[in-house]
Amino acid sequence: MLDAANQRAEVLDTDALLLGRLHAGDVAAFELLFERHYATVFRALYGLTGSHEEAEDLAQETFLTLFRTPPRHKPGMSLAAWLCRVGLNRAYNRLRGARRERQRAERLAEAPAPAGPEEELARSEERALVRQALAKLPERQARLLLLRHAGLSYAEVAQALEIAPSSVGALLARAEKAFVAAYAAGNDDEPVL
Amino acid sequence: MNRCYDDGALRASVDGALGRPELDELRAHLRVCPSCAARLLELRAAAERTGALLSAPQPDTRAAFARTLTALDRARGADTEQPIRRSSTMTISRGWTRRITLLAAALVAVALLALPPVQAAADQLLKIFRVQSVVFVPVDRDRLRELEQLDFDASTLFVAEPTTVVDPGEPVTVATADEAAAMVGFPVIQPPLAGQDTSTTYAVRGRSVQEFQVNVEAARQLLQAAGVTDVTLPDALGSGPIRADIPPMVVTSVSGADYRLDLIQGRSPEVTVPDGVELEQLGTALLRLLGTSPEKAAALSAQIDWSTTFVLPFPAGMSGVQTVQFGDITALQVSSRRSDGREMQLYWQRGDRFYVLSTQGNVDDATVSALVDATR
C-alpha cells in the first residue's frame, strides 16, 4: 500500500503533464491517468458502498468528470486525492437523501438471504455491517478511513480532507478505534437468523 | 527519550510514516515502556482490522476504461440526436415500433441479435420464445466488429415486406391498473412507488400478428459472408410464412424527480415456423455466426432445448450481465451506466407471463425486489 503511495509521489510530475494534455482533449493522456488511478478510486468507493457495481458506477462518473472538467494542476497537488474527493462527494450525495437512507435501512433489515454458499452469505452480511458502522461515524472520520485504506499517502489524505498532514496519524487512530467499535456493536445487534 | 508517545505518532509508525530518527527514538522508548507498547499493539490491531473490513476486490481497469469511453461516446451522440427527456407516450410508441420491426428480423436471422446492444437483443428475444432458461454465449469483440462490417442489408432476408395480420394500433393510455387489466385479460402489477412526486401511466398495446417469409438464399449468403460454411439452412425455412402472434401487453411507467421506471407485462408470444424447420439447426447457425467453433456449436446446440431457451450473445469480458435470484424467481439483469445515471433492465418469467423492467436513475434494490415479489 505504501509502495503504491510512494510510486504515486514519484509520478506527480507526469500527472501534471498528462493533465495538461488532457486539457487539450488528449484521450491517450486520459487513458494513462485512468490506468494509474482507477483502482485507488474504486477501492475508496467500494469501501463505502460495499457494492462492486455501485463502486464501478461512481468511479466511472468520477473519471467522466475528470475528462470533462479536469482540474488545473497546482504545485504539490495530488490527482489521486482530487479524484477520491470527487468520487466520495458523489457517493455521499447519493447516500444523503433521507428517503434513500430509510430504504437502505429497510433493505438491510428485510433483504432476503441470497442463495449461494455460506461464505457468500457471510460476506454480504459483513459488507452490510461495514456500511452500517461507517454510517455511524462522523462523515469526515469515515472519509479519512476510506481514503487511507484505499492507498492514499498521509500527505494525499491530508490534501483530500484539507487537514494538516501532521494530524493524520492521530485522526486515523481515533477513527479506526471508533470504526472497529461500531462494527463490533453492529455485529452484536444483528438478530440471529 | 522518556516521554510517552501520543496515539498519532504510534499510529503513523504502523504505516511507516515517521522519519528515520523519530522512528529510532520511538523504538528505544517502546523497549522500556510497556504502556506505549501495549497501545501500539492495540492501534495496529485496529488498523489491520479496519484494513481487512474495508478491503476491496481487484477491479478490471481495462474493462472499466472501455465502458467509460462508451459512456463518453454515448453522451456525445445523445447531445446531437435527441433531448434526453421525452414524454412517456412518445417513448412507448417509438419503442414499440422499433421492437416490432426488429422482431421480424430477429425471427429470420436470430444472429442479427449480436449486432444491437445486448439489452435490445434480450428485449427482442424474450418476446419471441417461451423462455425457461438462458444460455450466455460470449462473443469476441473482434468477431462483433467483423459482423458489423458485413454491411448486410437485412431487408433482403424477406421474400416480401412483412405483413401485419392484426394491427395493434396506437397504445391506449388508461388511468388505473384495473382498467389496464380489463383490456389485457390478466391482473396488472402496480409498481410500489406511489407518492406526491410521482406520476404513473398505464399504456396498453393491443394484440399484434405479423407474418413474413424468409428468403433462404439471402440468409445463406449472410452466413457465407460471415465465413460460416459448415452449416446449411434448410429450404423449408423459406417454404411458408413464419407467424408471430403477440398478445396484448401493458407498459406501466412511473417517473419521479430523479428516476424513471417502465414495467412491461405480457404473455409469451406464439411463433409458428414452417414444417421441416429444425430449431437446433438454426441454433447451430446462430452460434457459428457468433464465432463459436464448429465442434463447440454442435455440442452446445445438442444440449440446448431451443424452443424454450433464450440465447444471449454478449461481448466477451462484459461484466454487466448477471442472473439474480428473488426467492424462487430467477431474473436476468443487464446493467449499464450512462452519463446521466444508472440504467438497469431486468427480465423474468412467471408461468406464461413475462416481465421486462427498465429503470433509470434512483430506483433502489428494495423497490425492484418488491416489484418482482408482486408478480408471484
Side-chain angles (χ1 to χ4, degrees), chain A residues 93-167:
Chain A
N93 280 342
R94 272 200 201 175
L95 290 172
R96 238 170 230 132
R99 175 176 145 268
R100 232 183 126 67
E101 274 301 325
R102 195 178 60 244
Q103 282 166 343
R104 281 171 67 80
E106 279 167 11
R107 188 168 69 218
L108 289 177
E110 292 168 12
E118 246 169 63
E119 314 91 79
E120 182 46 44
L121 180 63
R123 264 202 299 278
S124 86
E125 277 173 7
E126 183 187 281
R127 285 196 292 266
L129 287 170
V130 165
R131 288 202 304 266
Q132 274 177 349
L134 282 175
K136 281 183 200 157
L137 302 186
E139 191 179 309
R140 279 180 79 76
Q141 251 185 8
R143 282 180 185 248
L144 172 73
L145 293 178
L146 293 164
L147 293 169
R148 175 59 197 150
H149 288 279
L152 293 197
S153 68
Y154 279 33
E156 287 172 324
V157 168
Q159 202 175 98
L161 295 176
E162 293 173 335
I163 54 177
S166 58
S167 66

